[in-house]
Amino acid sequence: MHPNVVTTKNSACVLCECNCGLTLDIEGSRIAKIRGDKAHPASAGYTCEKAMRLDLYQNGPHRISSPMKRQADGTYTEIDWDTALDEITAKLMGIRDQHGGETIFFYGGGGQGNHLGSANAVALRAALGSRFYSNALAQEKTGEMWVDGKLYGGHTKGDFENAEVLVFIGKNPWQSHSFPRARPLLKAVAKDPEKSMVVVDPRVSETAALADHHLQVKPGCDAWLIAAMVAVLVQENLVDQQFIAEHTTGFDQVRTVFEGVDIPGFAEICGVPEEKIRLAARRIGTARSVCVYEDLGTQQAPNSTLVSYLNKMLWILTGNFGRPGTMFLHSSFVPLAGGGAGGGQRRTLTPLQRAQKRALSTAMRTGATAAANLIPAAARAPGLRRMVEPSARALLETLAPLVGGPPQVSNSSGGARRTPVTGARIIGGLIPCNSIAEEILTDHPKRFRAMWLDSTNPAHSLPDSKRFRATMRALDLTVVVDVAFTETARHADYVLPAASQFEKPEATFFNFEFPHNVFHLRKPVFEPLPGTLAEPEIYARILRRMNVVDDATLTNLRTAAHTGRDTFGATFMALTVAQPQLAKLAPYILYETLGETLPAHMRGAAVLWGAAQMCAAANPDAVSRAGFTGAGLAPGNALFDKILESDTGVVFTADTWDTVWNYVTRKDRRFTIVIDDLLEQTRNLATARSSWTTDEFPLILAAGERRSFTANTIIRNPDWRRRDRDGTLRVNAEDAAALGVSDGDHARLVTRGGSAKVLVEISNMMQRGNIALPNGLGVDFPDEEGAVSAGVAPNELTTAELRDEFAGTPWHKYVPARLEAI
């Protein structure tokens, strides 16, 4: 592209889960201008200020362009791709053969917008026999996922645009967004006398400052506050009796627990006046519509799984589901993780998964005959029709959870799947991040021996960075795939340079909208940086070296793919009948066969054919309402082709409020509101521990506060932050005076995990005893004089010991600390 010629292309932001549509002006190799994509069906032209500087991610000296191998002295040498992949493949197969594939651990998922790489990694995991996987969700959302799985079996969001009352628990959408047009909506609600905001936050955040009810809870005491609010609803009979009777089971048991809650006592523990609690609860209980959003402020603090349960009781008991302005369950283009509750021995399928299986079985019965000429082995296979059902099941278990790992396994006793060394609960297929080091730094025979890390930086983002670095060096093999030489990459045995998110087809599976859910396949806007490869090609090159699929099978499928979508689909399905093991390699097979029929720069999107088929099978009516109709594989084919053709988001399901109950996985479509463990924990709150500070560490550090110019760490250049470049430590004025520090002073912040020199900001956002560092800082960036680093890396101060008892999520927002004047 000529450097002075400006072209316009559509893409999307990659800095948060909203993934707002963007229109980019491209000048040479630069993103010259960025604005919202007005045609995008989800974001409709809106974007926040953070997306405006994405060129600092795309371009800069942080990019790497050659595979690198770690030497004995800790330095790195550039090597060619063939050498790197030959050595990596041999070592992976050696570990598999000696210790078993289950000792090869995969971590990653591409953060907020880089999910196709992980989708393609499914085939490598299957070929190696790898069973254990995790990503950043396991230090954030797995407690809520576990509760969701128990209550109704899916993920909920809210119709905030139309809600009368908006409730935010540990959430500051002014900075963290998470729903379309967050800031304009918050301002509009604050001005509307008919609407109200309830904010639970220890800080006077930007959102709390707009709220009608700011419940400024003591850090770590959310459970007592939310339990008291639910108790007000129950004790003052503000619950929706008709909704409860028609749509829930177990209310009598729940009512008994909350009738026994000592509201004045809980108010004293959580630090919020009883009358404020009652007023906020009454506003919720008398509103026409309520939406609730919980986020990391509570999900990375004590009792987080319990808080997730209590928060959902606020809107379930008041009947705020399935109507405009309330909560909803929604479709998924690709499920982000497996089942909610986890399991042990026997495979079970949800009603939704059974529907998927039936739809696939129908398509496969049709396709088996149609493909017989291309695949004679399928026609000759004994009991062909009897093989259809198991093969459909294999496809279901492989294609559906492209990001989150295999569907959960359950046993008749209701036990949970556990990690091999520590027995930690696996939720949604994800190992708790706080348990990873413990599964490696041991002499246990089932310990992990190798780790593959894809587009992720856990040596910076997970608790106790020092220990994670030691963990990486204890493994027999570590491989990092990334665009930059990250904090994690510099401790890996091999570093493989990836094309950026704007140099390859990419997508996010954070598709949470209702009634029209949207999936956006982002097309490449640049050629890949020379020397880099897209992740699907990296995985394909390794799998070719492993010879996991014979040439004849691939040749037959390539022939079918060039014949047409219908023939390819029938042939693919017939092959999985004859050779069910091929379903586990579906992403690789699609890349090698169907991918050849796509434009070369779009080959990595071939995996989405499988995703589109699963989506159409799981949501036949909603996909049909979105315009993708026909029998067998036709809706999935049409959806796939539309995704390929569009340069913006595609509505893949269209629902109504009448159909929202279809996403409840129980046969009777009711919510199961009794979770025995969490009700027991609620009963015990009156005598439970509520503080973990000590004389040595009297303050509570929130390690990772969202601010105007913080996001994830993919933008490493500190120049992107127009304000607060070095990331100040926010401190209450009275705390600062007692410690003898002033605004702009340097001080030493000390925790059990480490210490750091910080720049103090006196802030009226903070209550006494609570201090905060921003997220995303402390990464280095190479410049002309070497490497520069701005701010403090929060996880140099955290430890992995403080974690939720159910989900194992870390207490990043509750780190006992002290501050020393310098």
Short mmCIF file of all heavy atoms in Angstrom, two decimals, residues 596-656:
data_model
loop_
_atom_site.label_atom_id
_atom_site.label_comp_id
_atom_site.label_asym_id
_atom_site.label_seq_id
_atom_site.Cartn_x
_atom_site.Cartn_y
_atom_site.Cartn_z
N GLU A 596 -8.79 -23.97 2.10
CA GLU A 596 -8.18 -23.78 0.79
C GLU A 596 -9.12 -23.09 -0.19
O GLU A 596 -8.68 -22.52 -1.19
CB GLU A 596 -7.74 -25.12 0.20
CG GLU A 596 -6.47 -25.66 0.78
CD GLU A 596 -5.88 -26.76 -0.08
OE1 GLU A 596 -6.52 -27.13 -1.08
OE2 GLU A 596 -4.78 -27.25 0.27
N THR A 597 -10.43 -23.15 0.05
CA THR A 597 -11.40 -22.52 -0.85
C THR A 597 -11.63 -21.05 -0.51
O THR A 597 -12.30 -20.34 -1.27
CB THR A 597 -12.74 -23.25 -0.80
OG1 THR A 597 -13.37 -23.02 0.47
CG2 THR A 597 -12.56 -24.75 -1.02
N LEU A 598 -11.12 -20.60 0.62
CA LEU A 598 -11.29 -19.21 1.03
C LEU A 598 -10.13 -18.37 0.50
O LEU A 598 -9.06 -18.89 0.17
CB LEU A 598 -11.32 -19.13 2.56
CG LEU A 598 -12.35 -20.00 3.28
CD1 LEU A 598 -12.26 -19.78 4.79
CD2 LEU A 598 -13.75 -19.73 2.79
N PRO A 599 -10.31 -17.06 0.39
CA PRO A 599 -9.16 -16.21 0.05
C PRO A 599 -8.01 -16.48 1.02
O PRO A 599 -8.24 -16.75 2.21
CB PRO A 599 -9.72 -14.79 0.22
CG PRO A 599 -11.20 -14.94 0.02
CD PRO A 599 -11.55 -16.28 0.58
N ALA A 600 -6.78 -16.43 0.51
CA ALA A 600 -5.63 -16.83 1.32
C ALA A 600 -5.57 -16.10 2.64
O ALA A 600 -5.23 -16.69 3.68
CB ALA A 600 -4.35 -16.60 0.52
N HIS A 601 -5.92 -14.82 2.65
CA HIS A 601 -5.82 -14.05 3.89
C HIS A 601 -6.94 -14.36 4.88
O HIS A 601 -6.91 -13.92 6.03
CB HIS A 601 -5.81 -12.55 3.59
CG HIS A 601 -7.09 -12.02 3.02
ND1 HIS A 601 -7.50 -12.29 1.74
CD2 HIS A 601 -8.07 -11.25 3.58
CE1 HIS A 601 -8.66 -11.70 1.51
NE2 HIS A 601 -9.03 -11.08 2.61
N MET A 602 -7.93 -15.18 4.43
CA MET A 602 -9.07 -15.53 5.29
C MET A 602 -9.06 -16.99 5.72
O MET A 602 -10.00 -17.45 6.35
CB MET A 602 -10.38 -15.21 4.56
CG MET A 602 -10.62 -13.73 4.33
SD MET A 602 -10.72 -12.81 5.88
CE MET A 602 -12.22 -13.49 6.56
N ARG A 603 -8.03 -17.72 5.39
CA ARG A 603 -8.01 -19.16 5.64
C ARG A 603 -8.21 -19.49 7.12
O ARG A 603 -8.86 -20.50 7.46
CB ARG A 603 -6.70 -19.75 5.14
CG ARG A 603 -6.62 -21.26 5.21
CD ARG A 603 -5.35 -21.76 4.57
NE ARG A 603 -5.26 -23.21 4.61
CZ ARG A 603 -4.24 -23.91 4.10
NH1 ARG A 603 -3.25 -23.29 3.49
NH2 ARG A 603 -4.24 -25.24 4.20
N GLY A 604 -7.69 -18.67 7.99
CA GLY A 604 -7.81 -18.93 9.41
C GLY A 604 -9.22 -18.87 9.94
O GLY A 604 -9.48 -19.28 11.08
N ALA A 605 -10.17 -18.38 9.12
CA ALA A 605 -11.57 -18.31 9.55
C ALA A 605 -12.33 -19.59 9.26
O ALA A 605 -13.52 -19.68 9.58
CB ALA A 605 -12.25 -17.13 8.87
N ALA A 606 -11.69 -20.59 8.64
CA ALA A 606 -12.40 -21.81 8.27
C ALA A 606 -13.03 -22.50 9.47
O ALA A 606 -14.08 -23.14 9.35
CB ALA A 606 -11.44 -22.77 7.55
N VAL A 607 -12.43 -22.38 10.63
CA VAL A 607 -12.98 -23.01 11.83
C VAL A 607 -14.39 -22.52 12.13
O VAL A 607 -15.18 -23.22 12.77
CB VAL A 607 -12.04 -22.76 13.04
CG1 VAL A 607 -12.02 -21.29 13.43
CG2 VAL A 607 -12.42 -23.62 14.22
N LEU A 608 -14.73 -21.33 11.65
CA LEU A 608 -16.04 -20.78 11.93
C LEU A 608 -17.16 -21.52 11.20
O LEU A 608 -18.33 -21.36 11.55
CB LEU A 608 -16.07 -19.29 11.58
CG LEU A 608 -15.16 -18.40 12.44
CD1 LEU A 608 -15.23 -16.96 11.98
CD2 LEU A 608 -15.51 -18.52 13.92
N TRP A 609 -16.83 -22.32 10.18
CA TRP A 609 -17.86 -23.14 9.57
C TRP A 609 -18.43 -24.10 10.63
O TRP A 609 -19.65 -24.26 10.76
CB TRP A 609 -17.31 -23.93 8.39
CG TRP A 609 -18.33 -24.83 7.76
CD1 TRP A 609 -19.26 -24.49 6.83
CD2 TRP A 609 -18.54 -26.23 8.04
NE1 TRP A 609 -20.04 -25.58 6.49
CE2 TRP A 609 -19.62 -26.66 7.23
CE3 TRP A 609 -17.93 -27.15 8.88
CZ2 TRP A 609 -20.09 -27.98 7.24
CZ3 TRP A 609 -18.40 -28.46 8.90
CH2 TRP A 609 -19.47 -28.86 8.08
N GLY A 610 -17.55 -24.75 11.38
CA GLY A 610 -18.01 -25.64 12.44
C GLY A 610 -18.80 -24.89 13.49
O GLY A 610 -19.84 -25.35 13.97
N ALA A 611 -18.32 -23.69 13.85
CA ALA A 611 -19.02 -22.90 14.85
C ALA A 611 -20.40 -22.48 14.35
O ALA A 611 -21.39 -22.51 15.10
CB ALA A 611 -18.20 -21.66 15.20
N ALA A 612 -20.49 -22.11 13.08
CA ALA A 612 -21.78 -21.71 12.52
C ALA A 612 -22.75 -22.87 12.50
O ALA A 612 -23.95 -22.70 12.77
CB ALA A 612 -21.58 -21.14 11.11
N GLN A 613 -22.26 -24.08 12.18
CA GLN A 613 -23.14 -25.25 12.19
C GLN A 613 -23.63 -25.55 13.60
O GLN A 613 -24.81 -25.87 13.81
CB GLN A 613 -22.39 -26.47 11.61
CG GLN A 613 -22.01 -26.34 10.15
CD GLN A 613 -23.23 -26.21 9.24
OE1 GLN A 613 -24.35 -26.54 9.61
NE2 GLN A 613 -23.00 -25.73 8.03
N MET A 614 -22.76 -25.44 14.59
CA MET A 614 -23.17 -25.70 15.97
C MET A 614 -24.17 -24.65 16.44
O MET A 614 -25.13 -24.95 17.14
CB MET A 614 -21.95 -25.70 16.89
CG MET A 614 -20.98 -26.84 16.62
SD MET A 614 -21.74 -28.47 16.71
CE MET A 614 -22.37 -28.48 18.37
N CYS A 615 -23.94 -23.40 16.06
CA CYS A 615 -24.85 -22.33 16.46
C CYS A 615 -26.23 -22.55 15.85
O CYS A 615 -27.26 -22.42 16.53
CB CYS A 615 -24.28 -20.98 16.01
SG CYS A 615 -25.34 -19.58 16.40
N ALA A 616 -26.26 -22.91 14.57
CA ALA A 616 -27.54 -23.16 13.91
C ALA A 616 -28.25 -24.37 14.50
O ALA A 616 -29.49 -24.39 14.61
CB ALA A 616 -27.32 -23.34 12.41
N ALA A 617 -27.49 -25.38 14.89
CA ALA A 617 -28.09 -26.57 15.51
C ALA A 617 -28.61 -26.27 16.90
O ALA A 617 -29.65 -26.79 17.32
CB ALA A 617 -27.07 -27.70 15.56
N ALA A 618 -27.90 -25.42 17.64
CA ALA A 618 -28.30 -25.11 19.02
C ALA A 618 -29.48 -24.15 19.08
O ALA A 618 -30.29 -24.21 20.01
CB ALA A 618 -27.13 -24.51 19.77
N ASN A 619 -29.59 -23.27 18.08
CA ASN A 619 -30.59 -22.20 18.12
C ASN A 619 -31.37 -22.15 16.81
O ASN A 619 -31.39 -21.12 16.14
CB ASN A 619 -29.90 -20.85 18.35
CG ASN A 619 -28.90 -20.87 19.48
OD1 ASN A 619 -29.27 -20.87 20.65
ND2 ASN A 619 -27.62 -20.90 19.14
N PRO A 620 -32.01 -23.25 16.40
CA PRO A 620 -32.59 -23.29 15.05
C PRO A 620 -33.62 -22.20 14.80
O PRO A 620 -33.62 -21.58 13.73
CB PRO A 620 -33.20 -24.69 14.97
CG PRO A 620 -33.37 -25.13 16.39
CD PRO A 620 -32.24 -24.51 17.14
N ASP A 621 -34.50 -21.96 15.75
CA ASP A 621 -35.54 -20.96 15.54
C ASP A 621 -34.97 -19.55 15.52
O ASP A 621 -35.34 -18.73 14.68
CB ASP A 621 -36.62 -21.08 16.62
CG ASP A 621 -37.38 -22.39 16.54
OD1 ASP A 621 -37.43 -22.98 15.45
OD2 ASP A 621 -37.90 -22.83 17.59
N ALA A 622 -34.07 -19.26 16.47
CA ALA A 622 -33.49 -17.92 16.54
C ALA A 622 -32.61 -17.63 15.33
O ALA A 622 -32.59 -16.51 14.82
CB ALA A 622 -32.69 -17.77 17.83
N VAL A 623 -31.87 -18.63 14.85
CA VAL A 623 -31.06 -18.45 13.65
C VAL A 623 -31.96 -18.25 12.44
O VAL A 623 -31.69 -17.41 11.57
CB VAL A 623 -30.12 -19.66 13.46
CG1 VAL A 623 -29.47 -19.65 12.08
CG2 VAL A 623 -29.04 -19.65 14.54
N SER A 624 -33.07 -18.98 12.38
CA SER A 624 -34.01 -18.81 11.27
C SER A 624 -34.61 -17.41 11.29
O SER A 624 -34.74 -16.77 10.23
CB SER A 624 -35.12 -19.86 11.38
OG SER A 624 -36.08 -19.69 10.36
N ARG A 625 -34.97 -16.91 12.48
CA ARG A 625 -35.52 -15.55 12.57
C ARG A 625 -34.51 -14.50 12.13
O ARG A 625 -34.89 -13.42 11.68
CB ARG A 625 -36.01 -15.27 13.99
CG ARG A 625 -37.29 -15.99 14.37
CD ARG A 625 -37.84 -15.47 15.69
NE ARG A 625 -36.97 -15.80 16.80
CZ ARG A 625 -37.08 -16.88 17.56
NH1 ARG A 625 -38.05 -17.76 17.30
NH2 ARG A 625 -36.26 -17.09 18.57
N ALA A 626 -33.22 -14.83 12.26
CA ALA A 626 -32.18 -13.91 11.81
C ALA A 626 -31.97 -13.98 10.29
O ALA A 626 -31.15 -13.24 9.75
CB ALA A 626 -30.87 -14.20 12.53
N GLY A 627 -32.69 -14.89 9.62
CA GLY A 627 -32.65 -14.93 8.17
C GLY A 627 -31.89 -16.10 7.58
O GLY A 627 -31.71 -16.15 6.35
N PHE A 628 -31.48 -17.05 8.41
CA PHE A 628 -30.69 -18.19 7.91
C PHE A 628 -31.57 -19.44 8.01
O PHE A 628 -31.75 -20.00 9.09
CB PHE A 628 -29.40 -18.34 8.72
CG PHE A 628 -28.61 -17.05 8.78
CD1 PHE A 628 -28.62 -16.26 9.92
CD2 PHE A 628 -27.92 -16.61 7.67
CE1 PHE A 628 -27.92 -15.07 9.98
CE2 PHE A 628 -27.20 -15.41 7.71
CZ PHE A 628 -27.21 -14.63 8.86
N THR A 629 -32.11 -19.84 6.90
CA THR A 629 -33.14 -20.87 6.89
C THR A 629 -32.72 -22.05 6.02
O THR A 629 -31.71 -22.02 5.33
CB THR A 629 -34.46 -20.29 6.37
OG1 THR A 629 -34.25 -19.80 5.03
CG2 THR A 629 -34.95 -19.15 7.25
N GLY A 630 -33.55 -23.10 6.04
CA GLY A 630 -33.33 -24.28 5.23
C GLY A 630 -33.23 -25.51 6.09
O GLY A 630 -33.35 -25.46 7.32
N ALA A 631 -32.98 -26.65 5.44
CA ALA A 631 -32.89 -27.93 6.13
C ALA A 631 -31.43 -28.35 6.29
O ALA A 631 -30.54 -27.87 5.58
CB ALA A 631 -33.65 -28.99 5.34
N GLY A 632 -31.21 -29.27 7.22
CA GLY A 632 -29.87 -29.84 7.39
C GLY A 632 -28.83 -28.79 7.70
O GLY A 632 -28.98 -27.98 8.62
N LEU A 633 -27.77 -28.77 6.91
CA LEU A 633 -26.66 -27.85 7.15
C LEU A 633 -26.86 -26.50 6.48
O LEU A 633 -25.99 -25.62 6.61
CB LEU A 633 -25.36 -28.48 6.65
CG LEU A 633 -24.96 -29.81 7.28
CD1 LEU A 633 -23.68 -30.34 6.66
CD2 LEU A 633 -24.79 -29.68 8.79
N ALA A 634 -27.95 -26.29 5.77
CA ALA A 634 -28.15 -25.05 5.02
C ALA A 634 -28.10 -23.79 5.89
O ALA A 634 -27.45 -22.81 5.51
CB ALA A 634 -29.45 -25.12 4.23
N PRO A 635 -28.78 -23.76 7.06
CA PRO A 635 -28.70 -22.54 7.87
C PRO A 635 -27.28 -22.21 8.31
O PRO A 635 -26.86 -21.06 8.27
CB PRO A 635 -29.61 -22.85 9.06
CG PRO A 635 -30.54 -23.90 8.58
CD PRO A 635 -29.72 -24.75 7.64
N GLY A 636 -26.54 -23.24 8.74
CA GLY A 636 -25.16 -23.01 9.15
C GLY A 636 -24.30 -22.55 8.00
O GLY A 636 -23.44 -21.67 8.15
N ASN A 637 -24.50 -23.13 6.81
CA ASN A 637 -23.74 -22.70 5.63
C ASN A 637 -24.05 -21.25 5.30
O ASN A 637 -23.14 -20.46 5.00
CB ASN A 637 -24.09 -23.59 4.43
CG ASN A 637 -23.43 -24.95 4.49
OD1 ASN A 637 -22.41 -25.13 5.16
ND2 ASN A 637 -24.02 -25.93 3.82
N ALA A 638 -25.33 -20.89 5.34
CA ALA A 638 -25.72 -19.51 5.02
C ALA A 638 -25.14 -18.53 6.04
O ALA A 638 -24.69 -17.44 5.68
CB ALA A 638 -27.24 -19.41 4.96
N LEU A 639 -25.16 -18.92 7.32
CA LEU A 639 -24.61 -18.05 8.36
C LEU A 639 -23.11 -17.88 8.17
O LEU A 639 -22.58 -16.76 8.26
CB LEU A 639 -24.92 -18.65 9.74
CG LEU A 639 -24.32 -17.94 10.95
CD1 LEU A 639 -24.72 -16.48 11.00
CD2 LEU A 639 -24.74 -18.66 12.23
N PHE A 640 -22.42 -18.96 7.89
CA PHE A 640 -20.97 -18.90 7.66
C PHE A 640 -20.66 -17.98 6.48
O PHE A 640 -19.76 -17.11 6.57
CB PHE A 640 -20.44 -20.31 7.41
CG PHE A 640 -18.97 -20.38 7.08
CD1 PHE A 640 -18.01 -19.93 7.97
CD2 PHE A 640 -18.54 -20.92 5.87
CE1 PHE A 640 -16.66 -20.01 7.67
CE2 PHE A 640 -17.19 -21.00 5.56
CZ PHE A 640 -16.25 -20.55 6.46
N ASP A 641 -21.38 -18.13 5.39
CA ASP A 641 -21.11 -17.31 4.21
C ASP A 641 -21.40 -15.83 4.49
O ASP A 641 -20.66 -14.95 4.03
CB ASP A 641 -21.95 -17.79 3.03
CG ASP A 641 -21.45 -19.10 2.46
OD1 ASP A 641 -20.25 -19.42 2.67
OD2 ASP A 641 -22.24 -19.83 1.83
N LYS A 642 -22.46 -15.54 5.24
CA LYS A 642 -22.76 -14.16 5.58
C LYS A 642 -21.66 -13.54 6.43
O LYS A 642 -21.27 -12.38 6.22
CB LYS A 642 -24.10 -14.09 6.31
CG LYS A 642 -24.54 -12.68 6.68
CD LYS A 642 -24.83 -11.85 5.47
CE LYS A 642 -25.40 -10.49 5.85
NZ LYS A 642 -25.66 -9.64 4.66
N ILE A 643 -21.15 -14.32 7.37
CA ILE A 643 -20.06 -13.83 8.23
C ILE A 643 -18.83 -13.52 7.39
O ILE A 643 -18.14 -12.51 7.59
CB ILE A 643 -19.74 -14.87 9.32
CG1 ILE A 643 -20.87 -14.89 10.36
CG2 ILE A 643 -18.40 -14.60 9.98
CD1 ILE A 643 -20.78 -16.05 11.32
N LEU A 644 -18.52 -14.38 6.42
CA LEU A 644 -17.38 -14.15 5.55
C LEU A 644 -17.56 -12.91 4.68
O LEU A 644 -16.60 -12.16 4.43
CB LEU A 644 -17.14 -15.36 4.66
CG LEU A 644 -16.63 -16.64 5.31
CD1 LEU A 644 -16.51 -17.75 4.27
CD2 LEU A 644 -15.28 -16.42 5.99
N GLU A 645 -18.77 -12.68 4.23
CA GLU A 645 -19.02 -11.58 3.29
C GLU A 645 -19.05 -10.23 3.97
O GLU A 645 -18.67 -9.21 3.38
CB GLU A 645 -20.38 -11.80 2.60
CG GLU A 645 -20.44 -13.00 1.69
CD GLU A 645 -21.87 -13.37 1.32
OE1 GLU A 645 -22.80 -12.60 1.70
OE2 GLU A 645 -22.07 -14.41 0.68
N SER A 646 -19.52 -10.19 5.20
CA SER A 646 -19.78 -8.91 5.86
C SER A 646 -18.50 -8.26 6.34
O SER A 646 -17.57 -8.93 6.81
CB SER A 646 -20.73 -9.12 7.04
OG SER A 646 -20.97 -7.90 7.70
N ASP A 647 -18.45 -6.93 6.26
CA ASP A 647 -17.30 -6.22 6.82
C ASP A 647 -17.65 -5.55 8.15
O ASP A 647 -16.91 -4.71 8.65
CB ASP A 647 -16.75 -5.19 5.84
CG ASP A 647 -17.72 -4.03 5.58
OD1 ASP A 647 -18.88 -4.13 6.01
OD2 ASP A 647 -17.31 -3.05 4.94
N THR A 648 -18.79 -5.95 8.72
CA THR A 648 -19.18 -5.48 10.04
C THR A 648 -19.85 -6.63 10.78
O THR A 648 -19.77 -7.78 10.34
CB THR A 648 -20.11 -4.24 9.93
OG1 THR A 648 -20.32 -3.68 11.23
CG2 THR A 648 -21.43 -4.60 9.28
N GLY A 649 -20.51 -6.35 11.88
CA GLY A 649 -21.13 -7.41 12.64
C GLY A 649 -22.33 -8.01 11.93
O GLY A 649 -22.99 -7.36 11.13
N VAL A 650 -22.62 -9.28 12.24
CA VAL A 650 -23.74 -10.01 11.65
C VAL A 650 -24.66 -10.44 12.78
O VAL A 650 -24.22 -11.05 13.77
CB VAL A 650 -23.24 -11.24 10.86
CG1 VAL A 650 -24.42 -12.12 10.43
CG2 VAL A 650 -22.43 -10.80 9.65
N VAL A 651 -25.96 -10.16 12.64
CA VAL A 651 -26.94 -10.67 13.60
C VAL A 651 -27.13 -12.15 13.32
O VAL A 651 -27.62 -12.53 12.24
CB VAL A 651 -28.28 -9.92 13.48
CG1 VAL A 651 -29.33 -10.57 14.38
CG2 VAL A 651 -28.10 -8.45 13.84
N PHE A 652 -26.74 -13.01 14.26
CA PHE A 652 -26.81 -14.45 14.01
C PHE A 652 -28.01 -15.11 14.68
O PHE A 652 -28.40 -16.20 14.30
CB PHE A 652 -25.51 -15.15 14.40
CG PHE A 652 -25.18 -15.13 15.87
CD1 PHE A 652 -25.63 -16.13 16.72
CD2 PHE A 652 -24.39 -14.12 16.40
CE1 PHE A 652 -25.31 -16.13 18.07
CE2 PHE A 652 -24.06 -14.10 17.75
CZ PHE A 652 -24.53 -15.10 18.59
N THR A 653 -28.59 -14.47 15.70
CA THR A 653 -29.84 -14.95 16.28
C THR A 653 -30.75 -13.76 16.53
O THR A 653 -30.28 -12.68 16.93
CB THR A 653 -29.64 -15.71 17.60
OG1 THR A 653 -28.88 -14.90 18.51
CG2 THR A 653 -28.94 -17.03 17.39
N ALA A 654 -32.02 -13.96 16.31
CA ALA A 654 -33.03 -12.94 16.61
C ALA A 654 -34.06 -13.55 17.56
O ALA A 654 -34.70 -14.55 17.22
CB ALA A 654 -33.70 -12.46 15.33
N ASP A 655 -34.18 -12.98 18.74
CA ASP A 655 -35.09 -13.50 19.75
C ASP A 655 -36.15 -12.46 20.09
O ASP A 655 -36.11 -11.31 19.64
CB ASP A 655 -34.31 -13.88 21.01
CG ASP A 655 -33.65 -15.25 20.90
OD1 ASP A 655 -34.39 -16.24 20.77
OD2 ASP A 655 -32.41 -15.33 20.92
N THR A 656 -37.08 -12.86 20.92
CA THR A 656 -38.07 -11.96 21.50
C THR A 656 -38.11 -12.26 23.00
O THR A 656 -37.57 -13.28 23.47
CB THR A 656 -39.46 -12.18 20.90
OG1 THR A 656 -39.94 -13.49 21.30
CG2 THR A 656 -39.44 -12.10 19.37
#
